[in-house]
Amino acid sequence: MKITTLLLCLLCFNFSFSQDDINDLVKQGITYHDAGDYDKAIATYKEALKIDSKSSLVNYELSLSYFYNKDFKNAIKYSDVVIDNDKEHVKAAYITKGSSLDNLGKIKESIKLFKKGIKKFKTEGLLYYNLALNYYKLKDFDEAEEVITQGITQDQSHASSHLMLGYLNYDKNKRAQSLLNLHYFLLLEPATARSQQAAGLIQTMMSSNVNKDDEKPNTINISLSLPDEDDEFSAAELMISMLEASKSLEENEGKSEDELFIENTDSFFTILGELKDKKSKGIYWDVYVNFFYELAKSDHMPAYCYYVMQSVNKNSQTWLDSNTDALDAFDQWLQNN
């Protein structure tokens, strides 16, 4: 009895000691990886594998370093161990393996894998995004749109999905939908290089189809294509141009560009909210319009506009720094909505 107890204690001690060693090696490997020294990271993780060759943590980190080192075959090899273990890091392993297959030119295999991952992890936005990205590369834009829309329905917090859908709609000349997508993206990611492109595109779309007649200074020309009869946003499309044209009205003389942008954005969100009826269904009405209409009815539009346009508006940071109470109130409003 005493011998059995002693053996159990020794086994537990050895297991604990091995786990500590693995954790220390993984931390060291991550340090190398973050510094861009993938060869040293890989060598460090392989030392950890000598302790536990099936560790999901070690195999995942190893696959990731191989991926960044552009050794996609080994990235797949070690991702497979994690997927077969079916314990920790499985979602991430699907993404690493799928992206590796994509980089090897095996897009159809990558699509099949991401579909399998989505069945297992229905709410993981990054899986939908990568699947849609593969369809986009194959120029199957309709399938890409359908998949990314499904992903947003499952995970509204995935910024890249809103951005992709925004660009897809822009390519289809659907300004109202694209504006909604890009606004939501900027709410999630307001201050990156991608944000600057998205915010610039919002400015472009808000002012498109409207121009002044040089020979007639008081004349504003609005060029519109005939709306699709089935497009439930056709009225909003018209109003976007009307809002831009209204900047030249006498009542708006003396207003700054910031003030006009806030007012027109508020009007755009309000118009969409008022267009919604019982027949209005789908992601645009349920996710985007619902949210932005409530925002328009709040007192937080200035804070919102300065926050989401900070990557292109030089006045934004000054306003945000000078109005911390308004920004805090907006943040509190977001948490409750």
Side-chain angles (χ1 to χ4, degrees), residues 224-240:
L224 294 173
S225 57
L226 290 174
D228 185 340
E229 292 181 0
D230 296 327
D231 188 356
E232 54 192 336
F233 289 93
S234 58
E237 291 278 349
L238 174 61
M239 290 308 301
I240 294 168

Side-chain angles (χ1 to χ4, degrees), residues 140-160:
D140 191 343
F141 302 127
D142 289 338
E143 193 66 31
E145 182 179 357
E146 182 178 343
V147 170
I148 207 68
T149 299
Q150 291 172 356
I152 292 171
T153 301
Q154 294 295 329
D155 180 8
Q156 296 173 30
S157 66
H158 190 250
S160 295

Side-chain angles (χ1 to χ4, degrees), residues 40 76 98 101 148 152 158 174 181 189 196 205 213-214 238 245 248 251 255 273 275 286 303 314 317 327 337:
K40 282 188 178 180
I76 291 170
L101 288 167
I148 207 68
I152 292 171
H158 190 250
K174 295 183 176 181
N181 301 142
E189 186 179 309
Q196 191 171 13
M205 283 191 287
D213 191 327
D214 293 334
L238 174 61
S248 299
E251 64 192 63
K255 291 182 180 178
L275 284 173
D286 297 337
K314 61 182 180 181
Q317 196 58 56
L327 193 60
N337 286 272

Side-chain angles (χ1 to χ4, degrees), residues 24-260:
D24 288 342
L25 287 167
V26 167
K27 288 179 182 178
Q28 185 180 347
I30 290 173
T31 300
Y32 286 134
H33 178 98
D34 290 346
D37 195 339
Y38 305 122
D39 289 330
K40 282 188 178 180
I42 288 167
T44 304
Y45 294 137
K46 285 190 172 180
E47 287 298 313
L49 283 185
K50 292 178 182 179
I51 301 172
D52 182 1
S53 63
K54 293 296 182 180
S55 167
S56 292
L57 172 61
V58 177
N59 279 282
Y60 167 65
E61 295 293 349
L62 183 55
S63 72
L64 196 62
S65 288
Y66 270 123
F67 178 82
Y68 277 89
N69 211 30
K70 301 187 186 305
D71 185 346
F72 303 117
K73 289 184 178 180
N74 271 316
I76 291 170
K77 174 183 175 181
Y78 291 99
S79 292
D80 279 336
V81 177
V82 180
I83 292 170
D84 290 342
N85 284 347
D86 198 20
K87 294 178 181 177
E88 300 88 2
H89 310 293
V90 180
K91 284 188 288 187
Y94 269 106
I95 293 164
T96 302
K97 181 178 179 179
S99 299
S100 297
L101 288 167
D102 184 15
N103 278 285
L104 289 171
K106 299 179 179 181
I107 295 182
K108 290 184 179 179
E109 288 184 42
S110 179
I111 287 174
K112 185 177 180 180
L113 181 77
F114 284 131
K115 284 183 176 180
K116 183 179 178 182
I118 286 170
K119 285 184 178 179
K120 189 175 182 68
F121 303 104
K122 190 176 180 180
T123 62
E124 179 54 48
L126 195 52
L127 289 168
Y128 290 92
Y129 174 78
N130 279 280
L131 177 57
L133 191 59
N134 278 335
Y135 282 124
Y136 188 88
K137 289 177 181 177
L138 293 174
K139 299 188 184 303
D140 191 343
F141 302 127
D142 289 338
E143 193 66 31
E145 182 179 357
E146 182 178 343
V147 170
I148 207 68
T149 299
Q150 291 172 356
I152 292 171
T153 301
Q154 294 295 329
D155 180 8
Q156 296 173 30
S157 66
H158 190 250
S160 295
S161 295
H162 297 282
L163 183 63
M164 178 187 285
L165 190 52
Y167 286 140
L168 283 167
N169 279 317
Y170 178 72
D171 289 340
K172 291 184 174 183
N173 200 31
K174 295 183 176 181
R175 284 194 300 164
Q177 293 95 319
S178 183
L179 283 168
L180 289 170
N181 301 142
L182 296 177
H183 268 285
Y184 210 103
F185 163 73
L186 289 169
L187 180 64
L188 298 170
E189 186 179 309
T192 64
R194 299 195 309 173
S195 309
Q196 191 171 13
Q197 293 175 336
L201 188 53
I202 285 177
Q203 291 175 326
T204 298
M205 283 191 287
M206 290 292 284
S207 61
S208 62
N209 298 334
V210 178
N211 58 79
K212 289 186 177 182
D213 191 327
D214 293 334
E215 297 180 0
K216 300 177 182 179
N218 295 323
T219 301
I220 301 293
N221 295 320
I222 301 176
S223 57
L224 294 173
S225 57
L226 290 174
D228 185 340
E229 292 181 0
D230 296 327
D231 188 356
E232 54 192 336
F233 289 93
S234 58
E237 291 278 349
L238 174 61
M239 290 308 301
I240 294 168
S241 298
M242 296 297 291
L243 289 169
E244 177 64 21
S246 71
K247 287 183 177 181
S248 299
L249 294 177
E250 185 177 346
E251 64 192 63
N252 287 324
E253 287 184 8
K255 291 182 180 178
S256 68
E257 281 297 317
D258 289 354
E259 290 173 317
L260 290 171

